[in-house]
Amino acid sequence: MSMNKTGRPTTPHGDYAPQSGGETFSGSRGLAQQEPLLSEVGALDKCGVDFAPLPDVTPRLGGMERTGEIGLPGLSEPEALRHYVRLSQRNFAIDLGLYPLGSCTMKHNPRLNEKLARLPGFADLHPLQPQSTVQGALAVMDALSHWLKAITGMDAVALSPKAGAHGEWCGMMCIRAAIEARGELETRKRVLVPESAHGTNPATAAECGFTIDQLPADASGRVDMDILRQKLGPDVAAIMLTNPNTCGLFERDIRAIADLVHEAGGYFYCDGANLNAIMGKTRVRDLGVDAMHINLHKTFSTPHGGGGPGAGPVVLSNRLKDFAPLPYLCADDERWSLVEHDADTKEEARPFGRMSAFHGQMGMFVRALAYMMSHGADGLRQASEDAVLNANYLLARLKDELSPAFDGVCMHEALFTDAFLKDTGVTTLDFAKAMIDEGYHPMTMYFPLVVHGAMLIEPTETESKESLDRFADTLIALAKAAKAGDRARFTNAPMLAPLRRLDETRAARSPVLGWEKA
Amino acid sequence: MRYLPLNDDDRAAMLARIGVSSIDDLFVDIPPDARLEKAIEGLPGHATEMQVERDLTALAARSLNAGDAPFFCGGGAYRHHVPASVDHLIQRSEFLTAYTPYQPEIAQGTLQTLFEFQSQVAALTGMDIANASLYDGSTATAEAVRMAMRITRRNGCVLAPGLHPHYSDTVRTAVHAGGGIVEALTPAMGADTKVVEVLDENTACIVVQNPNVFGELVDLDPLAEAAHAAGALLVAVTTEVVSLGLIKSPGQMGADIVAAEGQSIGNGLNFGGPFVGLLACRNDRKFIRQAPGRFAGETVDADGKRGFVLTLSTREQHIRREKATSNICTNSGLCTLAFTIHMALLGETGLRQLAKANHARACQLADQLAAIRGVEVVNDSFFNEFAVRLPMNATKVVEKLSKKKILGGIPAARLFGPGGFDDVLIVAATETNTDEDIDAFAKTLREALQ
């Protein structure tokens, strides 16, 4: 054993067991800190905020004073910092490692965008200040609109939708309004939705009062054209198609699909969740699309934040743009204004209504615009190319050990089935949980629904080749271990995460949705 | 490009491994005449971090920031002081750059904070349970109405005369599309009790805001009683949740569902978004089954340790598809985090003090404005916002004030459209207002009215 001059050992000494494990007294394990609930560490009389003395006034509460305890535990500032920093360390995140959630586009979130979104000239503006005092914010909305229209080739953009599903609803409401204007609302009720679609698509169409007719995929993972032809008719309002689709494939018959739907008198709604694959490579206008939402939190890298906030602007064709919701932006020679009321609309405009209280997700607009300006037209095209290249590289590296769902190349995400796990006793879920022990966030599991035991891998363009190689090496090693009969590695996983597998049935059967009241 | 790690050598090696000769071989499925051969025209090329910062900072400088003027706007968005530690914590990579917690073993940070958020929202609103957030208060109100319609199996709703008109419009748009019938009573002050006069056997719910859009405090108790007697539910709406530190909660007054805007706690004005929608309700199986959005719930792991998961998801779109209770997926994750941290810093005593400070500043403002000749404070009661009647067009007054760098409230016509309320100004005061702010506002308003 080595020691320094004061007798402090400077190498591990011989008494250490090979791997230190077992339970600790505190419940924490080294850097993995245990953290109780806020209701257990906080107290009703603790506070982390100081207040100035109040002016002396006569209250005007009209006898509505709240009496009794509210039940809100508080913390001093140092206690709060510790509570939340400890909790943060129980999360996986993009900044910690590859996060290959297919269809979610977990790409790097530039910090410049965070800084700019916090400029008081954007963050400290009230939505109903006089419009003459918010020209900078309106200019950002106009610039963002310009970029989105240029990238998609579309004629107009509605900025107010607050997330992807809200954007879907906006687009489908425009379609509904257009059908109503044609006097066909009672007859055009059916919306065609591929079975590979995100669940939001059928849910959205139903919220707009449409009925849903499911379109099966063909053997290549794309829309079955024969069945599409059979299903089209005078009662079809629209098709909702994701492109590239959720199998990671470009719908190569997309122009024919658009033509068929249009000939039948319907509209083409495109789910833009996977726009990241095609920026600068094609424009959705040229594919025959009438409306498409854009998830700024996917393609344009506004942070996912543990489940939002997002933003879902919708680009519209000439056929639909008059139906865009209130409020909308008007530009007149470097002066911008918002149209907020039906009474103020121009003659041709027939907004379908209002989607929310204010004008959209300004904080996300700034971030997305900064992302676009940083990339430029050349960088956006390069980003899509690299996203597709990275996915195909993983597909090439993994195809012999895992089971690709379809032959040929993919777009920005690669879909596998669980065929390679046949007879191993390991499921897609087990395989995913074993990835956690290897330091990776699992891929999207069991989606899309069109293949068995789906594993959908989207690396995004912000992974290096070295990172992809390490990831592929790990997945190959895991696949080999499963096939070699090392079942326990999977069925017991995760073993190295802050918690083992959680009992979801128990959570749903007797729901506990808040802490016990003190 | 600084965000793209691949270099040309990497790209060449990867194409070779894939077995194709060029990147375009990976894009062969795009119809040939729809392919772009080069970068989109009419857009600039890539830019340095310095350049982007310079360009956007120049745009930011073209507005009058709320913090740079005596500021008295409310109307569903309120300016409060957010402690510095809130913004620091929500920018932790592990919170900021995580996705929806679909893998609970490595998302306990997000899940536990959501569970704590739900608990706080339930306590604040006086309800039993709350969900993990919706987009904002207006969409939460629309969701609450649709939820009430499913629970009662009725398809009508009545909107109170004091409901924020943008909320009314949001509800009308959403509910109408699904075949529901919305009766929105003509906007008016002191008229919210009228909702009970139009209740009938088709009414699923009445929707009443408290404090209402004019800042008036509304006793929900008799309205709840009348709704329940007619087999309908009371959906209570709050756009200023700080008020709940001082005035009776909707739960204490018989509300069945609460829809609220949570922006005031932890979140800035952000020109209207992102905000955070709150939804709380009674702990009743029928209610829970019909609720929109996500819930975090407590459970145990394989070793018996306490942990949290997303639960009751058989209501949601990714499972139920067209039969889902809502199409919502992404909600307001990071805004809920900001909310829950700020609320933890306040705690019970802090929230009460914050609410008192808001009310005190508003009383001070009301007294000073009422002293101006021709200005009438219309409200009998209020929390931190109230309506004043001016001797001239309020929109013109607000424009004049803004030229003097005072953001002096919201003309009611901005909310309701022209006609009807042209001389009404809705003003709000919060703990961020100083004596000097209020003096400057009163002085400048007096001058503007001369």
Side-chain angles (χ1 to χ4, degrees):
Chain A
M1 180 169 63
S2 308
M3 285 186 191
N4 68 8
K5 283 182 192 161
T6 57
R8 181 178 174 281
T10 56
T11 56
H13 60 79
D15 292 343
Y16 277 137
Q19 176 123 42
S20 54
E23 293 303 310
T24 58
F25 296 114
S26 66
S28 296
R29 296 170 64 82
L31 284 178
Q33 303 276 1
Q34 196 61 262
E35 182 61 18
L37 278 169
L38 174 58
S39 54
E40 295 157 353
V41 292
L44 298 183
D45 58 355
K46 279 192 185 186
C47 186
V49 181
D50 293 325
F51 291 90
L54 300 180
D56 191 21
V57 294
T58 315
R60 253 129 303 170
L61 294 172
M64 296 276 287
E65 286 86 352
R66 185 170 191 163
T67 51
E69 192 178 284
I70 302 173
L72 292 166
L75 296 169
S76 66
E77 183 170 308
E79 292 170 299
L81 263 290
R82 203 165 277 170
H83 182 65
Y84 293 105
V85 171
R86 284 180 169 198
L87 286 178
S88 78
Q89 295 190 328
R90 295 161 75 81
N91 263 8
F92 194 85
I94 302 171
D95 290 349
L96 285 170
L98 199 153
Y99 208 133
L101 267 180
S103 234
C104 302
T105 313
M106 300 299 286
K107 62 168 77 173
H108 169 63
N109 300 140
R111 293 313 194 272
L112 169 67
N113 306 354
E114 294 306 304
K115 182 178 179 185
L116 297 177
R118 286 168 171 78
L119 290 174
F122 304 130
D124 195 21
L125 298 182
H126 190 284
L128 302 175
Q129 281 179 221
Q131 294 184 13
S132 59
T133 67
V134 293
Q135 289 294 306
L138 299 182
V140 162
M141 291 168 71
D142 194 36
L144 179 76
S145 302
H146 175 71
W147 279 84
L148 295 178
K149 285 189 285 186
I151 289 165
T152 59
M154 301 290 273
D155 299 292
V157 56
L159 289 176
S160 64
K162 290 181 163 284
H166 210 216
E168 289 176 28
W169 193 73
C170 176
M172 291 305 289
M173 285 295 285
C174 288
I175 289 171
R176 186 183 188 277
I179 290 172
E180 189 170 20
R182 283 158 46 181
E184 294 184 313
L185 193 59
E186 294 310 310
T187 51
R188 286 197 184 270
K189 281 283 184 197
R190 198 152 51 95
V191 171
L192 306 179
V193 182
E195 60 187 350
S196 63
H198 297 111
T200 50
N201 288 182
T204 298
E207 280 193 18
C208 295
F210 293 116
T211 58
I212 284 76
D213 193 357
Q214 198 159 289
L215 276 176
D218 68 9
S220 79
R222 297 171 172 89
V223 170
D224 188 315
M225 295 299 286
D226 289 335
I227 295 177
L228 173 65
R229 282 191 192 89
Q230 288 163 24
K231 285 189 182 274
L232 282 170
D235 64 331
V236 167
I239 187 170
M240 292 184 87
L241 184 65
T242 308
N243 187 52
N245 68 25
T246 61
C247 300
L249 304 171
F250 196 93
E251 293 281 353
R252 58 170 83 103
D253 293 322
I254 191 162
R255 291 280 282 273
I257 294 169
D259 289 345
L260 286 169
V261 170
H262 289 151
E263 279 162 28
Y267 294 89
F268 181 0
Y269 185 86
C270 183
D271 182 323
N274 293 336
L275 178 63
N276 202 47
I278 57 172
M279 290 182 293
K281 299 298 286 182
T282 185
R283 303 186 309 164
V284 294
R285 176 201 197 90
D286 301 329
L287 304 175
V289 168
D290 294 304
M292 180 180 82
H293 77 265
I294 298 169
N295 306 75
L296 297 186
H297 48 293
K298 294 182 181 179
T299 308
F300 300 112
S301 189
T302 74
H304 282 79
V314 175
V315 287
L316 299 165
S317 69
N318 262 328
R319 307 171 70 204
L320 294 177
K321 71 175 186 188
D322 292 344
F323 303 101
L326 295 168
Y328 58 84
L329 186 69
C330 285
D332 181 16
D333 193 25
E334 293 284 299
R335 295 297 294 174
W336 292 273
S337 59
L338 287 162
V339 174
E340 297 177 300
H341 300 283
D342 273 317
D344 301 331
T345 54
K346 281 186 244 138
E347 241 169 67
E348 66 275 14
R350 307 162 78 172
F352 71 75
R354 175 179 273 278
M355 301 197 59
S356 70
F358 302 116
H359 331 303
Q361 307 282 67
M362 185 66 196
M364 306 297 116
F365 298 163
V366 177
R367 290 173 175 89
L369 181 61
Y371 175 90
M372 291 179 190
M373 290 167 69
S374 292
H375 280 76
D378 52 333
L380 292 176
R381 183 177 159 97
Q382 187 69 59
S384 280
E385 288 182 352
D386 285 358
V388 171
L389 179 62
N390 277 356
N392 276 285
Y393 181 67
L394 278 181
L395 178 59
R397 287 228 39 208
L398 297 173
K399 68 181 174 192
D400 293 336
E401 286 296 337
L402 279 69
S403 312
F406 301 102
D407 292 334
V409 298
C410 63
M411 295 302 286
H412 64 304
E413 56 193 355
L415 179 61
F416 298 88
T417 74
D418 60 1
F420 71 101
L421 295 173
K422 190 166 183 291
D423 301 328
T424 61
V426 175
T427 64
T428 290
L429 180 71
D430 298 328
F431 194 83
K433 298 300 183 193
M435 287 170 65
I436 292 176
D437 282 337
E438 301 290 339
Y440 288 106
H441 194 285
M443 69 290 268
T444 292
M445 325 174 286
Y446 300 104
F447 179 84
L449 311 174
V450 291
V451 299
H452 197 269
M455 304 180 187
L456 184 62
I457 299 179
E458 179 180 5
T460 84
E461 72 277 12
T462 58
E463 291 301 324
S464 67
K465 178 172 179 294
E466 295 74 20
S467 163
L468 298 177
D469 279 327
R470 284 192 297 271
F471 180 63
D473 291 344
T474 304
L475 290 199
I476 289 167
L478 282 174
K480 284 185 168 155
K483 291 172 194 172
D486 187 4
R487 190 168 165 259
R489 176 187 293 275
F490 298 89
T491 53
N492 285 327
M495 289 178 277
L496 305 174
L499 290 180
R500 308 285 305 281
R501 271 190 228 189
L502 289 128
D503 188 343
E504 293 178 13
T505 305
R506 172 177 164 147
R509 193 165 289 159
S510 26
V512 178
L513 306 176
W515 58 51
E516 288 291 318
K517 290 196 175 79
Chain B
M1 211 283 128
R2 60 188 178 274
Y3 305 140
L4 301 176
L6 299 184
N7 62 30
D8 285 343
D9 289 344
D10 293 329
R11 293 182 182 114
M14 292 164 76
L15 288 170
R17 180 71 175 78
I18 295 163
V20 296
S21 56
S22 92
I23 187 72
D24 286 325
D25 293 341
L26 302 177
F27 289 88
V28 286
D29 288 335
I30 299 179
D33 59 346
R35 289 179 203 162
L36 296 173
E37 300 305 331
K38 54 182 178 24
I40 293 167
E41 285 173 20
L43 295 176
H46 62 276
T48 62
E49 184 163 316
M50 269 193 303
Q51 186 62 48
V52 175
E53 181 162 354
R54 202 176 286 145
D55 290 351
L56 284 173
T57 303
L59 286 184
R62 293 173 63 170
S63 296
L64 175 56
N65 309 336
D68 292 341
F71 177 85
F72 299 93
C73 300
Y78 302 87
R79 187 167 191 273
H80 294 286
H81 174 74
V82 178
S85 50
V86 173
D87 196 45
H88 172 80
L89 285 166
I90 69 167
Q91 288 196 75
R92 292 272 312 184
S93 288
E94 302 90 330
F95 287 132
L96 184 76
T97 75
Y99 193 63
T100 300
Y102 287 140
Q103 298 286 347
E105 299 89 348
I106 46 173
Q108 286 298 304
T110 296
L111 284 161
Q112 184 169 329
T113 54
L114 285 179
F115 184 82
E116 293 174 355
F117 167 81
Q118 291 173 183
S119 308
Q120 289 169 326
V121 172
L124 185 66
T125 55
M127 304 301 286
D128 300 321
I129 56 166
N131 82 356
S133 86
L134 298 167
Y135 305 130
D136 71 354
S138 65
T139 58
T141 304
E143 290 279 16
V145 170
R146 295 183 341 110
M147 177 178 164
M149 289 178 169
R150 292 189 297 269
I151 292 168
T152 58
R153 297 174 184 275
R154 297 176 174 191
N155 75 341
C157 69
V158 181
L159 310 185
L163 181 62
H164 193 301
H166 293 176
Y167 282 48
S168 297
D169 290 346
T170 303
V171 171
R172 191 183 293 112
T173 306
V175 169
H176 182 69
I181 298 160
V182 178
E183 181 162 6
L185 300 186
T186 309
M189 290 190 69
D192 286 315
T193 53
K194 286 193 176 155
V195 284
V196 302
E197 294 166 18
V198 287
L199 274 171
D200 63 27
E201 67 282 356
N202 191 40
T203 307
C205 61
I206 56 173
V207 183
V208 187
Q209 181 178 327
N210 182 42
N212 71 15
V213 70
F214 304 101
E216 297 171 296
L217 302 186
V218 184
D219 186 1
L220 301 177
D221 259 321
L223 307 184
E225 208 169 296
H228 294 157
L233 304 179
L234 169 63
V235 172
V237 175
T238 298
T239 61
E240 171 52 298
V241 287
V242 172
S243 67
L244 296 175
L246 198 54
I247 65 172
K248 269 193 230 172
S249 71
Q252 291 171 310
M253 295 190 280
D256 299 288
I257 306 174
V258 176
E261 175 53 68
Q263 171 266 327
S264 284
I265 303 291
N267 290 275
L269 291 168
N270 286 317
F271 199 48
F275 281 7
V276 48
L278 314 182
L279 188 117
C281 67
R282 293 203 260 129
N283 185 11
D284 176 322
R285 269 282 178 185
K286 208 156 65 172
F287 279 61
I288 295 175
R289 261 203 307 274
Q290 296 300 343
R294 297 188 177 122
F295 286 108
E298 185 181 319
T299 187
V300 293
D301 79 349
D303 292 337
K305 287 187 187 153
R306 180 172 68 191
F308 304 92
V309 291
L310 292 179
T311 191
L312 302 165
S313 55
T314 51
R315 304 162 295 109
E316 291 184 69
Q317 46 77 25
H318 61 281
I319 310 278
R320 291 272 282 170
R321 301 178 77 85
E322 65 266 29
K323 294 191 178 66
T325 56
S326 166
N327 71 343
I328 194 166
C329 180
T330 288
N331 43 68
S332 298
L334 206 64
C335 303
T336 69
L337 182 67
F339 179 106
T340 192
I341 296 171
H342 190 187
M343 192 60 92
L345 283 164
L346 288 167
E348 180 114 4
T349 49
L351 180 72
R352 285 184 191 279
Q353 270 189 278
L354 177 63
K356 273 184 199 149
N358 274 258
H359 186 56
R361 285 299 182 191
C363 290
Q364 187 186 6
L365 177 66
D367 291 343
Q368 292 204 28
L369 297 187
I372 300 170
R373 182 197 294 267
V375 175
E376 177 201 354
V377 173
V378 191
N379 295 48
D380 293 329
S381 64
F382 57 84
F383 170 63
N384 69 352
E385 185 166 25
F386 54 89
V388 291
R389 188 163 281 125
L390 303 179
M392 60 187 281
N393 182 294
T395 304
K396 292 203 173 111
V397 172
V398 166
E399 276 293 340
K400 268 191 191 175
L401 292 171
S402 75
K403 300 272 183 300
K404 306 266 182 194
K405 289 203 185 310
I406 290 185
L407 293 167
I410 299 167
R414 178 86 189 260
L415 299 173
F416 295 98
F421 294 100
D422 291 348
D423 60 349
V424 175
L425 179 66
I426 297 171
V427 293
T430 72
E431 80 287 358
T432 62
N433 291 120
T434 60
D435 292 343
E436 293 73 24
D437 284 348
I438 292 171
D439 290 345
F441 182 21
K443 175 170 173 285
T444 315
L445 180 60
R446 185 174 282 122
E447 289 162 5
L449 296 177
Q450 273 164 9

